[in-house]
Amino acid sequence: MSGVAWAADAAAPAGMANIVQFVPLILIFVVFYFLLIRPQQKKAKEHQNYLANLKKGDRVITGGGIHGVIAGLSDTIVTLEVADNVRIKISRGAIAGSASEAEKQAPAKSGG
């Protein structure tokens, strides 16, 4: 009979050991959240704010690399002037960012 009692007591620490096995998995998820998920959500929110605050005359770049100046706006459509009297209509979501910021970030090529 005493063997049965010892078997019942041994089961409790084994349950705690199962929980401890999940601690590294939980820590990995926390690291992924702070290093990958959270910055990506923050960048997406900033981009949505940028798209919401577009106005006529802004210089932008589309996702396809087309540079232009905003000539007209609606809720979902942006009219870009890419050359004199050449206008294209694109979706607001196709705008990747500001052309002036992209020019500042691009390294200057040396002539040589």
Side-chain angles (χ1 to χ4, degrees):
M1 281 298 240
S2 64
V4 174
W6 283 105
D9 289 339
M16 189 64 165
N18 289 337
I19 294 172
V20 172
Q21 290 177 349
F22 286 110
V23 171
L25 187 63
I26 293 168
L27 290 175
I28 289 170
F29 178 75
V30 168
V31 168
F32 268 87
Y33 176 77
F34 283 107
L35 293 179
L36 298 173
I37 299 169
R38 189 168 177 241
Q40 186 176 10
Q41 288 176 343
K42 184 178 178 184
K43 188 174 180 180
K45 186 176 181 180
E46 289 173 1
H47 186 67
Q48 288 294 337
N49 287 336
Y50 174 73
L51 293 179
N53 294 325
L54 288 174
K55 58 187 177 296
K56 274 187 169 181
D58 285 349
R59 294 179 55 216
V60 297
I61 300 175
T62 67
I66 298 173
H67 292 242
V69 178
I70 296 178
L73 286 168
S74 71
D75 290 341
T76 59
I77 304 288
V78 175
T79 304
L80 286 183
E81 186 168 346
V82 294
D84 291 334
N85 296 325
V86 178
R87 295 180 179 198
I88 59 173
K89 290 184 178 183
I90 62 168
S91 173
R92 201 179 264 249
I95 295 176
S98 172
S100 58
E101 289 179 18
E103 290 171 359
K104 290 177 188 175
Q105 293 175 355
K109 292 184 179 180
S110 61

